[in-house]
Amino acid sequence: MTTRQIIIEEMTPGHLEGAVELSRLVEWPHRREDWELAQSVSRGIVALEEERVVATIMMTPYGDHAAAINMVIVDAAMRGRGLGRKMMEEALAKAGERTCRLTATREGLPLYEKLGFVTTGEIVQHQGEALAVSAPARVSWAESGDLARLELLDREAFGHDRSALMKRLFESAKFAVIRDEGDIQAFSAIRPFGRGLVIGPVVARNATEAKALIDFLLAHHQGRFVRVDTDVSTDLAEWLTGRGLAHVGGGITMRRSTATHKESRPAHYRTYALVSQALG
């Protein structure tokens, strides 16, 4: 890579059309709206060759202690020049002392390991046309005043402050909740994404609640194309396949820690479905 040919700069709304085109070239489903959502809660970086976007990356901060690295794309013609590493170094510099997470492909593993990331698990992606299921009676739609409680449950499940992301999702997604004595104890969200809809996050105390939340959303979107990303440890794969959502791939979850902040994640809540791999 020669710096005279490639310019690396902060991503702005003016770069989004080029970013969308780049993602299409690598067969990602992301629409401009999906890029806009990611950019609204992230610090993005682009690489330009004669004003054409040839690489992208985003650092999505979750408070002062954590971040997700996502939307990592390098044009096929630019690979092998060290551009991917340069983009990662730029994103990590923006993350500072935050613990960083990402979802890697097998091809990306060597680079991420060299940068200090370690494998923590595996994500499986399921998608397809939602089959007809019954909507569980204990699940209902969230109300306008529920955001603060949803942010709290998300923080307890994820271990970090994702309130900026949750606020944006509350504007663009429909949230389903489980209430006990009027207080929300679990929730899920569904929103337009890519070819259809994506479910995530799903935050619950156990798999039974997680399945009830997902069934509620599927029941209200029968026949629609739906995607769900979940960690293999949730053991939802076979169940999701039975709901018409086939296993179509996934990735490897990785983490890079500066060891300056210890994560705190209460055991009684966990995330059963991610926002999507695009937002970590």
Side-chain angles (χ1 to χ4, degrees), residues 5 15 59 82 94 111 208:
Q5 294 175 322
H15 295 123
M59 186 281 293
K94 292 185 182 299
L111 170 60
T208 299

Side-chain angles (χ1 to χ4, degrees), residues 207-226:
T208 299
E209 287 185 343
K211 290 177 181 178
L213 289 162
I214 294 171
D215 265 351
F216 181 86
L217 297 177
L218 294 178
H220 285 86
H221 298 88
Q222 177 184 342
R224 297 288 303 278
F225 185 86
V226 178

Side-chain angles (χ1 to χ4, degrees), residues 124-196:
V124 287
Q125 183 186 131
H126 287 257
Q127 63 185 36
E129 292 186 3
L131 299 179
V133 296
S134 299
R138 65 185 301 206
V139 184
S140 60
W141 292 113
E143 300 173 359
S144 59
D146 289 335
L147 177 58
R149 177 63 178 170
L150 299 177
E151 289 176 347
L152 175 60
L153 294 184
D154 183 81
R155 189 178 305 118
E156 291 193 10
F158 191 74
H160 296 290
D161 179 12
R162 305 201 303 175
S163 56
L165 172 60
M166 290 295 292
K167 285 181 174 65
R168 285 291 287 114
L169 291 177
F170 204 68
E171 296 171 357
S172 59
K174 296 177 67 176
F175 280 76
V177 299
I178 293 176
R179 299 179 191 269
D180 286 347
E181 298 181 354
D183 201 13
I184 297 173
Q185 299 298 332
F187 74 87
S188 58
I190 190 167
R191 63 182 172 89
F193 174 83
R195 296 171 54 189

Side-chain angles (χ1 to χ4, degrees), residues 5-262:
Q5 294 175 322
I6 304 293
I7 297 173
I8 295 177
E9 61 186 38
E10 194 93 10
M11 180 182 287
T12 70
H15 295 123
L16 287 180
E17 284 301 323
V20 172
E21 180 58 29
L22 181 62
S23 61
R24 287 173 181 161
L25 291 175
V26 296
E27 299 183 342
W28 283 19
H30 297 63
R31 310 163 303 153
R32 182 186 174 94
E33 293 86 350
D34 303 321
W35 277 93
E36 288 173 343
L37 189 152
Q39 186 187 34
S40 71
V41 294
S42 307
R43 296 185 64 184
I45 303 164
V46 295
L48 305 175
E49 183 185 48
E50 297 181 352
E51 300 186 356
R52 184 175 71 91
V53 175
V54 295
T56 62
I57 194 168
M58 289 193 184
M59 186 281 293
T60 307
Y62 298 143
D64 296 329
H65 302 298
I69 305 297
N70 50 76
M71 307 303 272
V72 183
I73 309 177
V74 177
D75 187 291
M78 296 290 147
R79 295 170 191 169
R81 305 187 190 184
L83 181 56
R85 185 185 184 100
K86 178 62 176 174
M87 297 293 283
M88 280 294 301
E89 290 172 343
E90 293 281 342
L92 292 174
K94 292 185 182 299
E97 296 299 311
R98 293 179 175 90
T99 294
C100 292
R101 299 174 181 274
L102 57 77
T103 301
T105 61
R106 295 286 177 187
E107 294 77 11
L109 272 177
L111 170 60
Y112 301 137
E113 289 173 343
K114 290 175 183 176
L115 292 171
F117 284 85
V118 296
T119 297
T120 58
E122 183 180 355
I123 298 299
V124 287
Q125 183 186 131
H126 287 257
Q127 63 185 36
E129 292 186 3
L131 299 179
V133 296
S134 299
R138 65 185 301 206
V139 184
S140 60
W141 292 113
E143 300 173 359
S144 59
D146 289 335
L147 177 58
R149 177 63 178 170
L150 299 177
E151 289 176 347
L152 175 60
L153 294 184
D154 183 81
R155 189 178 305 118
E156 291 193 10
F158 191 74
H160 296 290
D161 179 12
R162 305 201 303 175
S163 56
L165 172 60
M166 290 295 292
K167 285 181 174 65
R168 285 291 287 114
L169 291 177
F170 204 68
E171 296 171 357
S172 59
K174 296 177 67 176
F175 280 76
V177 299
I178 293 176
R179 299 179 191 269
D180 286 347
E181 298 181 354
D183 201 13
I184 297 173
Q185 299 298 332
F187 74 87
S188 58
I190 190 167
R191 63 182 172 89
F193 174 83
R195 296 171 54 189
L197 304 166
V198 65
I199 291 176
V202 173
V203 170
R205 294 172 289 189
N206 51 60
T208 299
E209 287 185 343
K211 290 177 181 178
L213 289 162
I214 294 171
D215 265 351
F216 181 86
L217 297 177
L218 294 178
H220 285 86
H221 298 88
Q222 177 184 342
R224 297 288 303 278
F225 185 86
V226 178
R227 168 177 166 175
V228 181
D229 295 351
T230 184
D231 194 283
V232 293
S233 65
T234 64
D235 293 325
L236 293 182
E238 184 177 350
W239 181 82
L240 287 168
T241 300
R243 288 326 196 238
L245 309 182
H247 178 206
V248 295
I252 302 155
T253 56
M254 306 191 78
R255 178 175 176 270
R256 178 181 185 266
S257 177
T258 60
T260 60
H261 174 70
K262 185 177 180 180

